[in-house]
Amino acid sequence: MDDPGGTIRVLLVDDDPDLATMTATFLEREDDRFDTETAIGAAAALDRLDDGIDCVVADYEMPDMTGIELLEAVREEHPDLPFVLYTGKGSEEIASDAISAGVTDYLQKERGTGQYAVLANRIENAVEAYRSEKLLNRRTRRLERLISNLPGMVYRCRNAPDWPMETVEGEVAAMTGYAADALESGDVQWGEDVIHPADREETWARVQDSLDERGRFELSYRIRTRDGETRWMWERGRGVYDDGELTHLEGFITDVTERERRESRLQETSARLEALFEQSPDMINLHDADGTISEPNARLCEKTGYDREELIGTKVWEIDCSIDSASAAEIWDRMEPGDSRRLESEYERADGSTFPVEVHIRRIDAADETLFAVISRDISERRERERELERVQREYEELINGMNDTVWVISREGEFVAVNDAAVEQIGYDREELLGMRPHDIDAGIDPEEITALIEGMPEDDVQVFETVHETKSGEEIPVEISSTLISYQGETAILSVGRDITERKERERRLERFASIVSHDLRNPLNVAQGRLELAAEDCDSEQLEHVADAHERMNALIDSLLGLAQQGEVATETEPVALETAAERAWSSVATDEATLRTAVTGAVVADPSRLAQLFENLFRNAVEHAGPGVTVTVGDLDDGFYVADDGVGIREAERDSVFETGYTTGDGTGFGLAIVEQVADAHGWSVSVAESENGGARFEFTGVETA
């Protein structure tokens, strides 16, 4: 439907039927215009899109395809249909991918029912904008077709010195910086505010003279844009007459700044070339096909010690002692008009001494003769630098071969020109095989053009760090962290890249990602359903028990938020401070349903820890003991030399299973399987080590070592 105030048909897509139904119920409560339908899974949603749906609201993580994959499928057939990604699993990467795929809006699932009002408002805004845009597009499409191909602006103005505009269309803002309505309203006058002050009188006079002669005009003049930039305009127009009296002008104006600049540059080039020839720091001469010098510049005279008159008429091999007439003629004969050659040679001065030069020869045939332009440069200092660079290179190669990290030197052309022993050992190719290979030969994620762009764009002394994957000769993939900077290698700018194997770190990151996925998706959705059901139940009955249920929901939400925060922070405990172990344990015990269980504390002093993370650790261990050892279990928290332990007198953990209990998803009962995984995450975040053993009474004993005391 195109009626902005009509019924809004919403298709809710989720893999959780209860959550989808709950969301539909609350959306229709928020706005009676909503006609909400649910689809369980992306495949079912795609079958419903041709039924007049106004907006799709989809979860991200679903079994058959993700919300972004569903978005891409919808965009193929319905490129403008409003699509809201409504997900419990949020991250910058997912948001970026959603925006790239063309999502209309992105909303992360929150706790409580207040989120549905926000979602309803987002849907309403998206649909109304979509419908309004369709109406506007129909009204403006014809006009856009008429002016879309104009490389400038058309106008109608009164024939007065200020040239007040009545109508302007086209690329007005792009050319002048002023909006069209500013000109049409008179806030900006073309003749007074836009035309360059130095051109106003002449422009007016030329237009009036042309109108008097033939009723039409054509001219170029300068303007000043709103930003103060001077640009050139070309204008063609005609007069509009009323009862024989000239009243208005109509015409077309286009930007010819680049054309004017090209013409100006051509005029300047000739003068610059003449000055460059004489003032150049390089030696320059012109000679004919016989090798006779006709035009030497001042630098050539200075470097060789000859006067200008002495060099004119001299043969080139009289100052270039590395060639003779035959070898020079052979070079020139092979050159076509416009060809150039580069070579290194040696010039002889008037006093008989010599110096090395780099010579560039170019054939520039004139109308009646063949000429050669020779530009030469003294490379004595460069030769000395090259010898020094060779020495430095030998020392450099000795240095990098002693490093444990891989070292790569990449040339401007994008080839490996040096690698160290660690790189050879890690990748598996011989050094001779690696030299000449390119980064994308061992790293499929690198675009060959990126190397040149990196060299051209990286500031000196800047270090760029990124992560990638190297593939060995045997096909093994190794994640690495690369640190790159610019260096001078053998006299050329190159990239020095140092790679560090981050396999262990990536494995830790993957564990954190799996953990966050469980918390955000598998816990948040059922909890949202429970909160919604509780609110509906409260409308039907009044019981103090419901208040306790709501408190439990809030506690669960707080735990989920904390756990997600831990997963996102990786290995860092955010805010550490001295925490008394006995107090922390007793507070955690009071937060857990312990029934007839007993807590014994045999700890003294304090540890440096994040209080909320430490509370999570104790709560999970206490809950684990009560659930697996029975309601009458006794749990003891005691001191170790460099940490503490938590032990119970229950059935214990079999030795064969002790290495598995910390794995995400591991459980021997009806639990979620991530309680002890959270314990390990908290320990890792503080830099502690955790292990499981048998307690004195045959139960489980969890030991935490490497703990900093306060």
Side-chain angles (χ1 to χ4, degrees):
M1 297 177 59
D2 291 338
D3 179 10
T7 299
I8 298 175
R9 294 192 62 195
V10 180
L11 180 62
L12 287 172
V13 188
D14 205 303
D15 61 336
D16 189 330
D18 287 342
L19 183 60
T21 302
M22 178 65 62
T23 303
T25 300
F26 277 93
L27 283 179
E28 292 179 352
R29 286 188 173 193
E30 291 293 335
D31 194 330
D32 57 8
R33 292 184 302 158
F34 285 164
D35 180 7
T36 307
E37 303 173 24
T38 61
I40 307 308
L46 292 174
D47 294 336
R48 307 278 292 280
L49 287 181
D50 295 328
D51 295 339
I53 297 300
D54 294 309
C55 182
V56 177
V57 178
D59 193 10
Y60 171 76
E61 188 168 290
M62 295 181 288
D64 46 354
M65 65 173 66
T66 67
I68 292 179
E69 291 171 340
L70 173 60
L71 169 60
E72 292 170 343
V74 170
R75 284 288 174 259
E76 291 180 3
E77 298 296 330
H78 306 276
D80 300 317
L81 181 67
F83 191 110
V84 178
L85 192 63
Y86 181 52
T87 175
K89 181 176 182 179
S91 69
E92 292 182 1
E93 180 180 1
I94 292 174
S96 176
D97 290 344
I99 292 170
S100 299
V103 74
T104 307
D105 208 338
Y106 176 90
L107 185 64
Q108 190 167 351
K109 294 177 182 176
E110 304 282 352
R111 54 179 162 175
T113 59
Q115 61 183 317
Y116 299 115
V118 177
L119 177 60
N121 180 259
R122 299 284 183 90
I123 295 171
E124 180 183 3
N125 291 341
V127 173
E128 289 181 355
Y130 172 62
R131 292 174 175 174
S132 299
E133 184 176 2
K134 289 177 66 177
L135 290 173
L136 179 61
N137 287 342
R138 282 201 297 270
R139 294 170 182 169
T140 61
R141 194 172 294 117
R142 178 175 296 178
L143 179 60
E144 290 176 349
R145 283 199 299 267
L146 291 174
I147 65 174
S148 62
N149 294 321
L150 287 176
M153 58 176 271
V154 294
Y155 70 90
R156 177 185 175 92
C157 71
R158 294 197 301 275
N159 186 37
D162 287 346
W163 280 326
M165 295 289 181
E166 295 183 352
T167 302
V168 289
E169 297 284 349
E171 301 175 347
V172 184
M175 293 195 309
T176 69
Y178 294 105
D181 56 4
L183 288 164
E184 292 174 342
S185 66
D187 291 341
V188 177
Q189 298 286 353
W190 187 264
E192 180 66 24
D193 301 314
V194 181
I195 296 180
H196 195 286
D199 292 356
R200 290 170 188 166
E201 292 185 5
E202 181 182 356
T203 300
W204 169 259
R206 290 178 60 187
V207 170
Q208 302 310 307
D209 290 344
S210 296
L211 290 171
D212 291 342
E213 293 179 8
R214 57 187 184 277
R216 297 179 179 274
F217 59 90
E218 181 179 320
L219 74 164
S220 296
Y221 54 87
R222 293 171 295 174
I223 68 166
R224 277 186 177 170
T225 69
R226 184 178 182 179
D227 294 334
E229 181 185 4
T230 299
R231 301 192 68 82
W232 280 91
M233 299 290 119
W234 175 84
E235 180 176 349
R236 173 183 286 174
R238 65 180 182 87
V240 178
Y241 298 84
D242 184 9
D243 294 332
E245 181 180 355
L246 177 65
T247 60
H248 291 79
L249 303 179
E250 292 179 343
F252 172 74
I253 302 172
T254 189
D255 190 327
V256 293
T257 302
E258 291 305 316
R259 186 188 72 185
E260 292 289 336
R261 287 175 178 171
R262 285 196 301 271
E263 293 177 356
S264 176
R265 286 196 296 266
L266 286 173
Q267 295 174 0
E268 295 172 357
T269 297
S270 178
R272 284 203 308 268
L273 288 176
E274 184 175 350
L276 178 62
F277 182 81
E278 284 303 323
Q279 299 174 15
S280 172
D282 293 325
M283 299 168 280
I284 304 175
N285 75 80
L286 291 177
H287 67 78
D288 59 20
D290 295 328
T292 303
I293 297 174
S294 58
E295 289 288 341
N297 75 340
R299 185 62 169 170
L300 180 62
C301 297
E302 175 189 344
K303 292 293 292 184
T304 60
Y306 292 101
D307 293 336
R308 175 181 173 84
E309 291 72 20
E310 292 179 290
L311 285 176
I312 294 176
T314 299
K315 300 295 185 180
V316 293
W317 46 83
E318 294 182 27
I319 61 172
D320 189 340
C321 56
S322 65
I323 62 171
D324 53 31
S325 58
S327 59
E330 184 178 355
I331 294 174
W332 301 333
D333 289 344
R334 292 199 303 266
M335 295 178 65
E336 298 293 333
D339 282 356
S340 60
R341 294 286 187 275
R342 174 190 173 280
L343 52 93
E344 292 190 1
S345 189
E346 194 166 325
Y347 280 3
E348 183 176 351
R349 301 184 181 92
D351 62 6
S353 61
T354 61
F355 59 98
V357 291
E358 181 181 84
V359 179
H360 294 265
I361 308 171
R362 186 175 184 86
R363 179 172 171 175
I364 49 172
D365 287 10
D368 55 352
E369 64 177 330
T370 296
L371 294 175
F372 294 89
V374 181
I375 301 177
S376 307
R377 177 170 297 176
D378 186 344
I379 58 172
S380 300
E381 293 183 0
R382 191 178 79 187
R383 288 278 179 85
E384 182 60 32
R385 287 198 304 272
E386 289 173 352
R387 287 191 288 268
E388 177 64 16
L389 283 172
E390 290 175 357
R391 181 189 64 79
V392 172
Q393 180 183 345
R394 289 192 299 271
E395 296 178 354
Y396 173 76
E397 290 176 351
E398 292 175 359
L399 173 65
I400 66 173
N401 281 327
M403 296 179 63
N404 293 325
D405 293 332
T406 61
V407 179
W408 314 82
V409 179
I410 307 168
S411 69
R412 180 183 293 273
E413 290 72 28
E415 296 181 345
F416 295 135
V417 293
V419 296
N420 71 342
D421 294 340
V424 174
E425 180 179 354
Q426 183 189 80
I427 302 302
Y429 291 96
D430 294 338
R431 189 182 303 274
E432 292 71 20
E433 291 178 297
L434 284 174
L435 296 178
M437 290 175 66
R438 297 173 179 269
H440 62 270
D441 292 329
I442 64 167
D443 188 343
I446 291 181
D447 186 337
E449 296 181 359
E450 291 180 356
I451 300 300
T452 301
L454 189 62
I455 291 179
E456 298 296 336
M458 183 187 293
E460 292 185 7
D461 300 326
D462 188 28
V463 177
Q464 296 194 5
V465 181
F466 60 93
E467 293 181 7
T468 187
V469 177
H470 284 170
E471 183 175 343
T472 68
K473 187 175 183 179
S474 63
E476 178 188 359
E477 292 187 344
I478 301 175
V480 292
E481 181 182 80
I482 300 293
S483 301
S484 296
T485 189
L486 294 183
I487 63 169
S488 178
Y489 185 78
Q490 295 184 345
E492 299 289 340
T493 301
I495 298 177
L496 173 67
S497 291
V498 179
R500 176 163 297 174
D501 187 335
I502 57 172
T503 301
E504 293 184 1
R505 190 179 81 191
K506 299 303 288 186
E507 179 59 31
R508 290 195 300 272
E509 291 175 355
R510 282 191 290 270
R511 293 204 311 271
L512 288 173
E513 177 65 23
R514 288 196 302 270
F515 175 68
S517 175
I518 291 173
V519 173
S520 63
H521 187 266
D522 294 353
L523 293 186
R524 186 76 79 185
N525 282 359
L527 184 56
N528 281 341
V529 171
Q531 287 181 302
R533 294 292 185 189
L534 177 62
E535 185 170 329
L536 294 175
E539 295 176 0
D540 296 333
C541 64
D542 183 14
S543 171
E544 64 178 11
Q545 299 302 323
L546 296 181
E547 183 178 351
H548 294 296
V549 175
D551 291 341
H553 287 169
E554 288 301 316
R555 177 59 180 164
M556 292 167 69
N557 265 313
L559 285 173
I560 290 173
D561 290 341
S562 296
L563 297 178
L564 284 174
L566 173 62
Q568 292 163 356
Q569 292 160 17
E571 299 181 348
V572 179
T574 53
E575 299 180 0
T576 60
E577 60 186 60
V579 180
L581 277 175
E582 182 177 9
T583 302
E586 290 175 348
R587 287 179 178 175
W589 184 263
S590 65
S591 300
V592 177
T594 56
D595 297 328
E596 299 176 3
T598 302
L599 173 67
R600 292 181 62 252
T601 55
V603 288
T604 58
V607 297
V608 176
D610 186 313
S612 64
R613 303 289 183 258
L614 184 59
Q616 290 170 4
L617 181 146
F618 279 135
E619 288 174 8
N620 281 13
L621 288 175
F622 297 159
R623 192 177 295 112
N624 183 74
V626 173
E627 290 175 355
H628 292 85
V633 67
T634 297
V635 180
T636 303
V637 180
D639 282 328
L640 294 175
D641 289 342
D642 61 344
F644 60 93
Y645 69 86
V646 178
D648 63 60
D649 58 1
V651 296
I653 300 173
R654 289 182 297 177
E655 185 173 358
E657 296 178 350
R658 292 174 186 171
D659 292 336
S660 304
V661 294
F662 296 111
E663 295 179 0
T664 301
Y666 178 86
T667 180
T668 60
D670 296 329
T672 63
F674 61 86
L676 294 181
I678 294 172
V679 170
E680 184 182 42
Q681 292 285 342
V682 173
D684 287 346
H686 290 82
W688 304 340
S689 297
V690 58
S691 61
V692 61
E694 183 177 339
S695 70
E696 294 180 356
N697 298 317
R701 175 181 167 115
F702 295 87
E703 298 183 348
F704 299 87
T705 56
V707 180
E708 181 183 355
T709 58

